[in-house]
Structure formats: C-alpha cells, structure tokens
Amino acid sequence: MPTIEFTLQRIQKLLGKPVSIKDLEMDLQWISLDMNEINEAEGKIKVEYNPNRPDFSSPEGVARALKGYYEIETGLPPFTAKGGDYKVVVDPLVSQVRPYIATAIVRGIDLDDEQVATLMNTQEDLHWAIGRDRKKVAIGVHDLDKIVPPFTYTAVKPNAIKFEPLQMPGYLLTPAEILVQHPKGREYAHILKDTGIYPIIFDKNKNVISFPPVINGTLTMVTDDTKNLFIDMTGTDLKAVNFALNVLCTMLADMGCKIEKVSNMYPDGPRVTPNFAPAEWTVDEDYVNSYLGLKLPEADMIKALRKVRFDAKPGKRKGSLDVLVPCYRGDLMHPVDLTEEVAIGYGYSNLPLTIPQGGFGKYHPKLEAQALVRKVMAGLGFQEVVNFILTNKEKSFTATRRKWKEGVVLKNPVSKEYDTARQDLLSGLLQNLQDNKHESIPIKVFEVGDVIILDKNEETGARRDVHAACVIYDKEAGYTDARSALDAFMEMHGIEAFEVKAASNPFGLDGRTADIIFDKKRVGSVGEIHPEIISSFDLEFPVGFFEINLEPLM
C-alpha cells in the first residue's frame, strides 16, 4: 500500500482550523485512510491509502477530503483552468510507440521545500499507481520559461538526435545511448524495447524538452528560480493520461498555482487539457438505501454526497439522483461505488448494527468442496502448493508441447512472467518440481484452485473453473502411481461412476495417458508426463500426474 507523510501544522493550514493528532487518528479512517505511524513529538502523521485514490498522494488531497468531512467546504471543489495560447503538435508517427499526450501550463510557482517534496513524491506515486511504473503513463515537469512554443510531440530514430539528459550534465547522448548509459535509461529501456523509434518532445527551436518515459532534458530542469511550469503526460491509455494530469494539476491549484489549458493538436483534431469537468452519473435512491439498509430521504443522500466532495440533485427520473463526480476521482466504475460514497458521507459510525436477513454467513459449496480435496490429498501423502493464477504464456504452453489457444491475456502486464491467466494447474506444478528438484524424492505435491477459460456464454466472456491436480516425482513414478492416486481420490469423494479411457494428450506419454470420463464427459486426464516435457523442465526422473475439473463433480 502506498503511504503519505505530512505534518499536523500543514494540515491545519490547509484546513484553516485547528485539529489535533487525536482528532486525525479517529477521523482519517472515516475517509478511507489507514493510520500507519504517529510521531507526536515532531507532529508528523503517516497514513496508507488505496492505490485507486491517487488524489490522497498529497496533503492537499487529504485536506480536500477532510474539508468535506468537517463540513468546512462541501460539494465540488471549484477548480478552473484558463484558456491559453500554447499548443503541442502531435505527429502521427508517435502513435506507433506512445500515442497519447496531455499537457498543462502552471503559473505562479512559489513552493516551499515541503511543497516541492510533495510535488516530487506525488509524481512518483502517480507513476506507480496510474502509470504502471511509467509504462502506461509517464510525467514530465519542466521550467516553462526556458523553452519556446509551440511544442512538438513526435518520434525519432534511436540515433537521430543528441541532447543533454538530466543527471548527466555535460554529456550529449542519443536516445539509444541514454538507454544504455543513463541510470534511468537502463531502468526503463524495457518499455521501448523493439519499438524502432523513440518518443521525443521538442520546442520551436528543436530543443529537446523530454524523452518520455525515460528522462527530461537538462534544459528544462526545475530550480528555485522557476516561476512557471510546463507539464506533460504521455502514455498508452488516453483516459489514464488525462486522469493523472487532473490529479497533479488540482494538487498544484490547491497550492495556490494558476492552471492554464493547452491545445494538443492531434491528427484527428485538438484535445484541450486539462479538463476539470466533472463526470456525470445517475443512481437510484432505492438502490443506495437497499445496499446500506437505510431509508435515507433524498435531501440526506444529497448532503452525504456533498460531504465527500461530490455534487448531487434530484434526477430527471423520479427516485433518482444526478451526481457530479470531481475530475480527480477516477475510481468509480459502478453505482455501488456511489453507494459507498453515500455511506462515507453519512458516516460509517452512524450505520445501524443489524444482522443480515438469513442469519450468519457460511462457506460457499465450492469452498467446502476445495477444503475436502485438500483433506483427501493430504491424507494420500501429498503436500499442497499454491501458485499464482497468472502465469507465463510461453512457459505454460511451449514447454508442455501445446500450441497456444485463446485465453485471457493481460494488455499491460507488470512482468512478462505473468502475462496470461492460467488454463490448467499442471504446468505450474511442473515448475514447482523444477524449483525443488534438489529436495529428496519422492516429491508428491498437489494444488486445488481456479483456472480461467474463455466462454462466450458468460457475461464477462470467461468462466472460472475449479481444478485439482497432483504430480508424483520419483525414480520409477508413472501411470500406475497416478492411477492409484486418482482411484483413491474418487473413492474418498464417494464417486464410483467414472471411467478411464486411453487417449492422446500433449502432457502425457502415448500409451500411458488416459482421459477421465464422468457423466459421459471428459473432466480430466491421468498418466505419465512426456519425456520432452521432463527435459523442458530440466527434471531427472519420471512424473506421474492427474488433473481434474471439479465443477461437474460438485
């Protein structure tokens, strides 16, 4: 969880009223912040916030929410951005590598040391929370008075230009050289791997402003003398780019800066940023009350929403509310999120303490079935492992003699090791054997867990099945060992009406592999792992296995 540290003195200044650490210790939890550390001697507080609330990455954002909680200010914060003459020309070429840019001008910069530190920390938090470590969004902050408009966002070949990057004064380097020689270049080179061209922002005189998402030029370095800023956000997701810009600009506005709009001239037309217009939602009052177990009248519901810095009024449809959500809140995805905001504004401590209709909760039948599987497999002498539901497409398929078939693939994976959702458990168990082959044999491990299968009949386009699988790694492990484990597994589950039929399977050795048939349908396989797979996972002994879909059995 990301954290933010601030002083009591600063929060009091932002709120315009005295509060104590004891007050904040109690009140911050009601606006979704968790207390991490309190230093009463120095008057400092450290809190954790959810990554979906990057507006809490600064004391200004926290104070903004507290003003609503304390009813110092309610409703939408009045952020404005004046129209300006600055333009950024977006070259169609850059769409091949990093297609989106959003920019802003910030005037009247007069920040103290604490505010400068906040700006830097918020920038890094946004890189992590929204930017996916700069891959999705990267931020550039520049001294506006050192560059000449209009600016151009384009792409160049790796060795087409040279400029002096930050942190390496006196060195003129090409983008390709920066990715090899500069610390930030080496850290973020993977984002631009195999692109062939690199994004660059120039000013009118062809001076390099930035090489996103890697490093800015020394020319625009912000110093104590900086009075005006040019901010650029570049990335692969237009919504995320605009959202990150709004979070940063509203924070600077709360610091007393003036925000000015910029026209980003895309090939299909201009996009003016920042856009502080609120998002419009409509929610049914009965829906909110049913979730909260309340009978809040319309006026009280509107008051609660205004306390969380939203705005609301009676909707055009009877029994509904039209809600305005501020531009720095990008975490709302469903009407239930608005319901949560009503609860926060109303006060969690004011909600009635009731036992839900139907009594106390109980385990879902699927969880009970999984618990039984664990008990059975442990009784058969197997040790449980728990692998990630995300896996590597190449490792899971190529290494197991299978061709890739359609599955759930992550658009922006944090790591190439986890770029797709698993479709079986067996490939993960084989990786467990490879990682633990130095242990004494036999090794008998199992896993019970979810796999994700594409299914057009499901609302989401995919379904989640529960599988169970095991492997036996030993000098003479084979089909007989796996079949014995399967028979015992079925017997302990009270299942007699199943068949085992010889079949070909990429995982298994021909003649020593079979399908498991239940209710005339194939539900799994049992057998001995193919020697090619043994070699792929660098194993030394045979492996017996079975994997079964528990859904039909449940």
Side-chain angles (χ1 to χ4, degrees):
M1 295 281 283
T3 61
I4 172 178
E5 185 177 70
F6 51 82
T7 63
L8 179 63
Q9 182 181 8
R10 186 168 178 187
I11 283 292
Q12 289 177 336
K13 181 179 179 181
L14 289 167
L15 291 175
K17 64 170 280 186
V19 290
S20 67
I21 285 184
K22 289 290 184 184
D23 292 332
L24 293 176
E25 187 176 4
M26 175 60 68
D27 297 337
L28 289 174
Q29 63 181 317
W30 302 123
I31 61 169
S32 305
L33 290 165
D34 293 324
M35 194 65 64
N36 184 282
E37 188 177 313
I38 296 175
N39 187 331
E40 292 197 39
E42 297 182 12
K44 291 182 178 180
I45 301 170
K46 190 174 185 180
V47 295
E48 292 182 349
Y49 65 91
N50 288 320
N52 67 339
R53 289 295 305 270
D55 54 302
F56 282 156
S57 62
S58 68
E60 284 69 22
V62 173
R64 195 184 305 146
L66 280 173
K67 282 182 178 180
Y69 179 79
Y70 291 139
E71 298 188 69
I72 299 170
E73 291 178 8
T74 60
L76 286 174
F79 293 115
T80 58
K82 294 183 178 180
D85 298 327
Y86 283 80
K87 293 181 180 180
V88 176
V89 178
V90 183
D91 189 336
L93 184 64
V94 81
S95 65
Q96 300 177 26
V97 57
R98 199 170 181 85
Y100 300 113
I101 185 169
T103 54
I105 302 298
V106 182
R107 297 193 183 275
I109 296 292
D110 186 19
L111 307 182
D112 57 32
D113 291 343
E114 199 172 0
Q115 290 173 320
V116 170
T118 295
L119 175 59
M120 296 173 63
N121 291 336
T122 299
Q123 184 177 347
E124 288 309 308
D125 284 353
L126 291 176
H127 275 148
W128 179 80
I130 303 176
R132 298 295 187 269
D133 200 18
R134 302 196 187 186
K135 185 174 183 180
K136 193 175 181 180
V137 178
I139 305 166
V141 179
H142 315 276
D143 189 327
L144 175 67
D145 299 323
K146 296 176 181 177
I147 45 182
V148 181
F151 311 129
T152 302
Y153 180 46
T154 184
V156 300
K157 292 184 177 180
N159 293 299
I161 61 167
K162 287 189 175 185
F163 72 99
E164 186 179 293
L166 281 175
Q167 302 172 12
M168 291 188 72
Y171 288 85
L172 290 175
L173 302 175
T174 66
E177 290 171 336
I178 288 173
L179 296 184
V180 175
Q181 299 179 32
H182 196 288
K184 291 295 183 183
R186 292 192 294 271
E187 184 175 356
Y188 296 107
H190 66 280
I191 299 177
L192 299 174
K193 185 180 179 182
D194 302 325
T195 57
I197 52 175
Y198 298 151
I200 296 287
I201 303 174
F202 291 106
D203 78 346
K204 180 180 179 179
N205 298 327
K206 291 296 181 180
N207 294 312
V208 173
I209 298 173
S210 179
F211 170 24
V214 182
I215 196 73
N216 294 337
T218 301
L219 174 66
T220 62
M221 183 172 62
V222 176
T223 67
D224 293 340
D225 298 324
T226 299
K227 300 300 179 186
N228 304 297
L229 296 177
F230 170 62
I231 296 178
D232 74 82
M233 302 272 177
T234 64
T236 58
D237 185 298
L238 182 59
K239 184 178 179 181
V241 165
N242 284 315
F243 175 43
L245 183 66
N246 285 342
V247 172
L248 194 62
C249 285
T250 52
M251 180 197 75
L252 288 166
D254 280 342
M255 290 180 177
C257 304
K258 304 297 182 184
I259 311 300
E260 192 174 296
K261 296 179 180 179
V262 178
S263 295
N264 303 287
M265 310 303 292
Y266 282 83
D268 60 352
R271 293 173 182 159
V272 180
T273 56
N275 180 5
F276 291 152
E280 299 178 1
W281 285 76
T282 298
V283 64
D284 290 329
E285 295 169 22
D286 288 344
Y287 176 91
V288 174
N289 277 324
S290 66
Y291 263 81
L292 299 181
L294 299 173
K295 294 182 180 179
L296 282 180
E298 185 176 78
D300 289 350
M301 208 172 287
I302 290 174
K303 180 181 178 181
L305 287 167
R306 288 181 57 81
K307 282 187 68 175
V308 295
R309 310 311 304 270
F310 290 11
D311 218 337
K313 64 181 181 179
K316 296 177 182 178
R317 180 166 37 83
K318 186 178 179 181
S320 69
L321 290 177
D322 289 339
V323 183
L324 297 179
V325 178
C327 64
Y328 56 83
R329 290 292 302 272
D331 54 304
L332 275 74
M333 302 175 65
H334 188 276
V336 76
D337 297 322
L338 286 170
T339 303
E340 181 185 16
E341 296 300 321
V342 172
I344 293 171
Y346 179 72
Y348 281 125
S349 58
N350 297 322
L351 294 175
L353 300 176
T354 58
I355 297 176
Q357 186 177 359
F360 296 97
K362 60 181 180 180
Y363 284 114
H364 191 281
K366 284 190 177 184
L367 293 178
E368 291 181 333
Q370 292 178 52
L372 178 59
V373 170
R374 293 185 176 96
K375 186 180 292 185
V376 167
M377 295 306 295
L380 293 174
F382 287 80
Q383 183 175 357
E384 184 179 12
V385 296
V386 180
N387 292 310
F388 293 117
I389 198 168
L390 294 179
T391 186
N392 176 263
K393 182 171 70 172
E394 180 72 18
K395 189 179 294 183
S396 295
F397 281 83
T398 304
T400 53
R401 302 176 68 243
R402 297 179 296 166
K403 292 183 179 179
W404 165 250
K405 60 181 179 179
E406 286 189 324
V408 177
V409 180
L410 273 64
K411 185 176 181 180
N412 294 301
V414 174
S415 166
K416 289 184 178 180
E417 288 297 309
Y418 304 104
D419 60 7
T420 185
R422 66 185 181 185
Q423 300 179 36
D424 62 84
L425 303 182
L426 193 52
S427 53
L429 291 176
L430 290 169
Q431 183 65 52
N432 296 141
L433 290 181
Q434 183 179 17
D435 294 339
N436 293 277
K437 64 180 183 178
H438 58 280
E439 300 290 343
S440 58
I441 56 174
I443 298 176
K444 299 170 66 177
V445 293
F446 80 95
E447 182 173 13
V448 54
D450 297 332
V451 300
I452 307 298
I453 308 296
L454 290 185
D455 188 341
K456 295 179 180 178
N457 297 321
E458 295 291 330
E459 180 184 0
T460 59
R463 72 175 192 271
R464 184 177 67 176
D465 289 346
V466 180
H467 280 206
C470 72
V471 289
I472 304 166
Y473 181 63
D474 203 358
K475 289 182 178 179
E476 297 182 358
Y479 176 82
T480 301
D481 302 279
R483 177 62 191 273
S484 297
L486 174 66
D487 289 344
F489 177 88
M490 291 298 204
E491 182 180 352
M492 291 184 181
H493 277 82
I495 299 173
E496 297 179 358
F498 77 96
E499 300 177 71
V500 174
K501 292 185 178 181
S504 179
N505 185 311
F507 276 106
L509 183 61
D510 288 343
R512 299 186 189 180
T513 303
D515 285 344
I516 304 169
I517 310 298
F518 178 77
D519 196 21
K520 299 181 180 179
K521 295 179 181 178
R522 180 185 180 277
V523 295
S525 59
V526 58
E528 184 177 331
I529 294 294
H530 196 282
E532 287 183 22
I533 300 177
I534 297 289
S535 177
S536 295
F537 284 90
D538 197 26
L539 300 174
E540 300 172 0
F541 304 118
V543 180
F545 76 94
F546 78 74
E547 178 162 353
I548 188 167
N549 184 354
L550 298 178
E551 299 286 339
L553 278 63
M554 293 189 288

